[in-house]
Amino acid sequence: MSAGGAPVPPPPNPAVSFPAPRITLPAGPDILRTYSGAFVCLEILFGGLVWILVASSNVPLPLLQGWVMFVSVTAFIFSLLFLGVFLSGMVTQIDANWNFLDFAYHFTVFVFYFGAFLLEAAATSLHDLRCNTTASVQPLLSDNQYNINVAATIFAFMTTACYGCSLGLALRRWRPVTLLRN
C-alpha cells in the first residue's frame, strides 16, 4: 500500500512492452504472388546459374572464383530454405520477427554477393593476362573460359540486383520503432 492507502500497481512486465513479432509476407503458395517471392525465385535461378557457370569454367583462378563459388552456393541453399519456410507455412509456427530476419538475411547476402560480383568481374578482366607455362606463354583464360566468365559476371550482377531489390522491400516491411518516432 502507498502512503495514501491505494494499492501499488505491480511493475510492468518487460516482455509485454516489446512489439509482437510480425509477418507481413503471406505464408504458403501466396508468397509467390508477391514481389518479394518473385525476387527470391529470381535469386535462386540466377544464383544457380552463377555457380554452374563458374564451375563449368574449370575455376582457372581459384583464389578469386573460389569465393564466388562459396557465396553463390551458400546463398542458393539459404534462399531455397528461406523460400521453403514460407511455402510450407512454418513462419506462422516459429515465433520470430520474420520482417527483421528477412531484412538481415537480404542485407548480409547482398553485401557478400556484391563482393562476389566484383571478384568475378576482376577474374574476367584478367582474360588477356599472359602466364608462363613450361612450353609457352599463353593467356590466363581461354576464349571459352572467358565467354563463360562474362556470362557468370552478368548473372552475378543480376543476382546482386535481385538481392538489392529484396533488401529494399524488406526494409520497407521492417522499420525500427526508433525510426518511426523521429
Side-chain angles (χ1 to χ4, degrees):
M1 292 236 173
S2 66
V8 176
N13 184 349
V16 177
S17 64
F18 293 108
R22 294 185 350 179
I23 305 169
T24 53
L25 284 174
D30 288 339
I31 191 166
L32 299 176
R33 295 181 181 168
T34 66
Y35 287 118
S36 292
F39 278 122
V40 170
C41 290
L42 288 174
E43 293 160 9
I44 293 167
L45 175 69
F46 294 151
L49 285 172
V50 169
W51 66 268
I52 290 170
L53 287 167
V54 172
S56 68
S57 73
N58 297 326
V59 191
L61 298 165
L63 187 62
L64 300 177
Q65 293 179 307
W67 179 252
V68 176
M69 287 290 293
F70 170 74
V71 169
S72 60
V73 171
T74 304
F76 179 83
I77 291 169
F78 279 112
S79 291
L80 275 175
L81 289 172
F82 182 80
L83 185 61
V85 167
F86 274 91
L87 281 174
S88 68
M90 293 281 295
V91 292
T92 59
Q93 298 173 9
I94 300 173
D95 189 25
N97 189 342
W98 285 98
N99 291 330
F100 173 74
L101 291 175
D102 183 24
F103 170 75
Y105 168 71
H106 281 101
F107 175 78
T108 304
V109 175
F110 174 75
V111 169
F112 280 108
Y113 232 109
F114 184 72
F117 157 68
L118 292 178
L119 288 174
E120 182 60 28
T124 304
S125 71
L126 298 175
H127 169 61
D128 290 327
L129 184 67
R130 304 284 178 187
C131 61
N132 290 331
T133 61
T134 56
S136 65
V137 176
Q138 61 184 16
L140 185 63
L141 299 174
S142 68
D143 288 338
N144 185 41
Q145 288 173 326
Y146 174 73
N147 292 335
I148 291 171
N149 280 315
V150 167
T153 302
I154 292 169
F155 282 112
F157 174 76
M158 292 170 61
T159 307
T160 304
C162 287
Y163 278 110
C165 291
S166 290
L167 174 62
L169 292 171
L171 182 61
R172 278 183 36 195
R173 284 189 300 276
W174 174 76
R175 297 177 191 258
V177 177
T178 55
L179 289 178
L180 293 175
R181 290 182 187 159
N182 293 335

